[in-house]
Amino acid sequence: MYSINSIKNLRENIQGEVILPKDENYEEERTIYNAMIDKHPALIVKCRDEQDVKKAIQFARKEEIEVAVRGGGHNGAGLALVDDGMVVDLSLMKDIQIDPAKQTARVQAGCLLKEVDEATHEHGLALPSGIVGTTGVSGLTLGGGIGYLSRKGGLTIDRLKEAEVVLASGDLVTVSETSNPDLFWAIRGGGGNFGVVTSFTFNLLPIKNVYAGPMFWPLEQAHEAMKFYDEITKNASNDLYGFFAFLIVPPGDPFPEHLRSKNVCGIVWCYTGPIEKAEEVFKPIREFGPPILDFVDEIPMPDLNGMFDDLYPPGMHWYWRAHFVNELTDDAIRENIKYGSQIPSVHSTTHFYPIDGAVHDTETNQTAWAKRSSRWSQVIVGVDPDPDNAEEVTAWCKNYYDDIAPYADGGAYVNFMMEEGESRIKASYGNNYERLAEIKAKYDPDNFFHINQNIEPAAVT
Ligand SMILES: Cc1cc2nc3c(=O)[nH]c(=O)nc-3n(C[C@H](O)[C@H](O)[C@H](O)COP(=O)(O)OP(=O)(O)OC[C@H]3O[C@@H](n4cnc5c(N)ncnc54)[C@H](O)[C@@H]3O)c2cc1C
């Protein structure tokens, strides 16, 4: 274990901070988004720049301590922390440079989605990312990145042009189609397995406002609603996105009193086509049912991306499960409705995020993200603010996951998984796993970066 002197040296040599268990802010700094995770790192290194990251990695190698990497701290499985090891915390690295002419953004690794949204929106631009603004850009991007603009512009990794990475050797390298292309392939979906990414450069989309928001239907209409949703999105242009959900209507504003605390199904829409055409596109949708709630209207893109931020503040207990889904058969729909009617708490839900449209324009072997043929990435979350309810929401989530497994398409989005073991990771990467393991062996042969959805280095022959 490291000495007081070596910590003193590290402190003096970096621009950022070193936080130890005895420090006043240790409890605050070791807290992450999911309150179900309670890990105690030996030290937290809050890096200010790439050089700090290099020094932190060199320190950990020399002192032989395990390393976890923290971007936004949202990971459900708590992979941003490690007991008794070092956390390389990137949350102070917040620089964002927009080039409006080239429609690109260079984003440092500590940025949250909402910070990128605000910066890009000022220039009438947007990055396809996720649906909650407090999520970290880093972890979301490295796992793939799915959200409202997926059908229009692909996954977040499909917009990635370049990244800077500190490797297990401590070297800082640039990765792109032309510089270390194998590593560029691997970080687009392969998670934090290959090094610490310190910045990302993205190609943006020219999107400012969208026609978007939620619509609900009664649970009694859920079967027909899912069928209708399946049909309408199958044949829609990439301008129309909607994720299907089973939920309990939150018991407060802006929801009408007669719907509060009711189990319903719903779709959160995002239309990116010409605004003057929106009413016409939504005419058949509004005629179905009709919906018991319709909050769809023109809104700025960051408002849509932040719509759930107040409902899901940090500090609740989360248990996650996920599947890729390609077909909504009658049996699958019945099983989903069964669990939709048994949702154990107002924050627990399931979402079917579309991953068709532009996501399918990239071949499965072009990036590490392996499911370019499924239509949805389904997530089931058991969530509650009260630790006493954690067991109940977890049981609902696990049972739901097991019972719909026969209707799923194999594997899951790694960013929606808990620590579920090697076979689940392999299933999620499919035919890309072998290449990932070879690239891991080249850049991180000792599996130094293993606090993640881990890809074991291939054996060298
Ligand atoms: C409320 C909520 C909503 C979400 N919504 C979406 C969504 O709409 N779309 C979506 O795709 N995902 C979504 N997610 C999942 C999200 O993508 C993952 O939780 C992701 O891990 C979050 O990234 P982070 O930087 O906040 O994570 P962290 O917990 O900080 O990091 C997670 C892991 O990523 C790796 N990592 C992070 N940063 C780096 C880095 N710079 N270099 C190397 N490795 C790194 C490490 O292995 C780390 O352990 C959501 C999560 C939550 C909690």
Side-chain angles (χ1 to χ4, degrees):
M1 191 43 103
Y2 51 84
S3 65
I4 295 176
N5 260 347
S6 62
I7 290 283
K8 190 167 166 274
N9 273 343
L10 180 64
R11 273 200 165 125
E12 284 169 2
N13 270 309
I14 63 166
Q15 303 295 316
E17 297 164 50
V18 178
I19 295 155
L20 301 176
K22 65 179 174 53
D23 291 329
E24 215 172 85
N25 54 348
Y26 175 79
E27 282 304 314
E28 189 189 326
E29 296 293 346
R30 78 171 184 90
T31 302
I32 55 169
Y33 184 80
N34 184 359
M36 218 181 259
I37 310 292
D38 182 28
K39 293 186 192 166
H40 292 78
L43 73 164
I44 300 168
V45 183
K46 297 196 77 173
C47 300
R48 282 219 178 265
D49 57 20
E50 297 78 6
Q51 296 310 317
D52 281 3
V53 175
K54 282 180 77 163
K55 286 169 191 163
I57 296 302
Q58 283 156 358
F59 177 91
R61 289 226 77 140
K62 184 158 170 274
E63 304 291 342
E64 297 183 350
I65 35 182
E66 286 185 291
V67 164
V69 184
R70 175 177 179 156
H74 258 231
N75 184 266
L79 296 168
L81 296 181
V82 55
D83 275 324
D84 305 321
M86 171 197 277
V87 175
V88 175
D89 182 322
L90 304 166
S91 62
L92 299 177
M93 295 174 61
K94 294 272 194 200
D95 189 49
I96 300 175
Q97 305 283 338
I98 311 282
D99 184 332
K102 288 190 183 148
Q103 302 195 338
T104 59
R106 182 181 179 276
V107 173
Q108 270 194 320
C111 291
L112 305 181
L113 300 186
K114 63 181 178 186
E115 293 158 348
V116 177
D117 275 346
E118 277 160 27
T120 56
H121 186 70
E122 269 183 41
H123 300 278
L125 299 167
L127 174 69
S129 62
I131 68 151
V132 169
T134 51
T135 312
V137 172
S138 276
L140 175 129
T141 302
L142 294 170
I146 60 181
Y148 295 113
L149 300 179
S150 299
R151 295 192 83 235
K152 178 78 175 173
L155 302 169
T156 311
I157 47 169
D158 298 335
R159 315 303 302 181
L160 187 63
K161 208 171 147 2
E162 190 177 287
E164 286 175 71
V165 188
V166 175
L167 302 174
S169 60
D171 295 332
L172 175 67
V173 296
T174 301
V175 302
S176 67
E177 288 290 1
T178 51
S179 173
N180 301 297
D182 54 352
L183 192 52
F184 185 55
W185 179 88
I187 64 162
R188 285 178 292 163
N193 272 284
F194 303 93
V196 185
V197 177
T198 55
S199 75
F200 301 86
T201 303
F202 296 107
N203 290 312
L204 305 171
L205 292 175
I207 290 175
K208 194 167 175 67
N209 286 0
V210 288
Y211 190 77
M215 278 184 192
F216 296 163
W217 288 269
L219 207 57
E220 297 71 39
Q221 276 183 352
H223 202 109
E224 295 76 30
M226 255 189 141
K227 286 274 178 205
F228 173 77
Y229 164 73
D230 183 9
E231 235 8 79
I232 203 150
T233 51
K234 193 182 284 169
N235 301 315
S237 85
N238 289 356
D239 286 335
L240 186 68
Y241 172 101
F243 77 76
F244 196 94
F246 289 98
L247 68 148
I248 295 177
V249 180
D253 284 340
F255 300 101
E257 290 219 12
H258 69 281
L259 291 183
R260 291 179 189 177
S261 302
K262 276 204 164 27
N263 289 50
V264 297
C265 66
I267 301 172
V268 183
W269 297 103
C270 174
Y271 172 71
T272 49
I275 213 79
E276 61 281 4
K277 290 221 166 127
E279 298 279 340
E280 188 190 322
V281 169
F282 277 79
K283 193 165 177 284
I285 297 172
R286 291 195 158 109
E287 280 169 1
F288 174 78
I292 49 175
L293 176 135
D294 179 352
F295 282 172
V296 181
D297 208 341
E298 185 179 352
I299 53 169
M301 189 68 218
D303 289 9
L304 177 64
N305 275 335
M307 194 171 269
F308 299 109
D309 291 10
D310 289 344
L311 185 62
Y312 290 108
M316 294 199 280
H317 296 254
W318 287 70
Y319 193 87
W320 295 69
R321 282 293 160 107
H323 286 295
F324 287 123
V325 175
N326 198 30
E327 248 192 311
L328 296 174
T329 62
D330 285 330
D331 285 347
I333 292 174
R334 273 191 282 275
E335 206 60 40
N336 276 288
I337 293 173
K338 182 179 128 193
Y339 282 94
S341 67
Q342 296 169 1
I343 296 175
S345 70
V346 74
H347 295 97
S348 300
T349 185
T350 189
H351 293 170
F352 291 78
Y353 298 118
I355 44 167
D356 52 0
V359 179
H360 286 194
D361 293 346
T362 300
E363 297 292 328
T364 290
N365 62 4
Q366 271 179 269
T367 66
W369 210 83
K371 273 289 172 167
R372 300 282 185 172
S373 54
S374 295
R375 285 188 64 203
W376 293 280
S377 170
Q378 182 180 6
V379 68
I380 308 162
V381 287
V383 189
D384 201 278
D386 185 346
D388 289 345
N389 297 334
E391 211 174 299
E392 189 191 348
V393 299
T394 301
W396 171 79
C397 184
K398 283 184 177 168
N399 293 336
Y400 191 165
Y401 165 85
D402 286 345
D403 286 354
I404 56 165
Y407 312 107
D409 202 22
Y413 175 33
V414 288
N415 276 355
F416 291 164
M417 283 163 43
M418 299 303 271
E419 290 190 86
E420 297 171 34
E422 196 188 358
S423 63
R424 191 82 183 129
I425 296 170
K426 284 189 169 162
S428 300
Y429 287 115
N431 291 338
N432 285 343
Y433 189 87
E434 213 174 298
R435 185 167 173 208
L436 279 165
E438 281 162 16
I439 298 171
K440 177 81 171 172
K442 177 173 167 190
Y443 289 96
D444 184 14
D446 306 326
N447 205 1
F448 176 74
F449 294 109
H450 61 271
I451 310 292
N452 43 42
Q453 298 293 353
N454 195 232
I455 293 157
E456 296 257 358
V460 180
T461 48

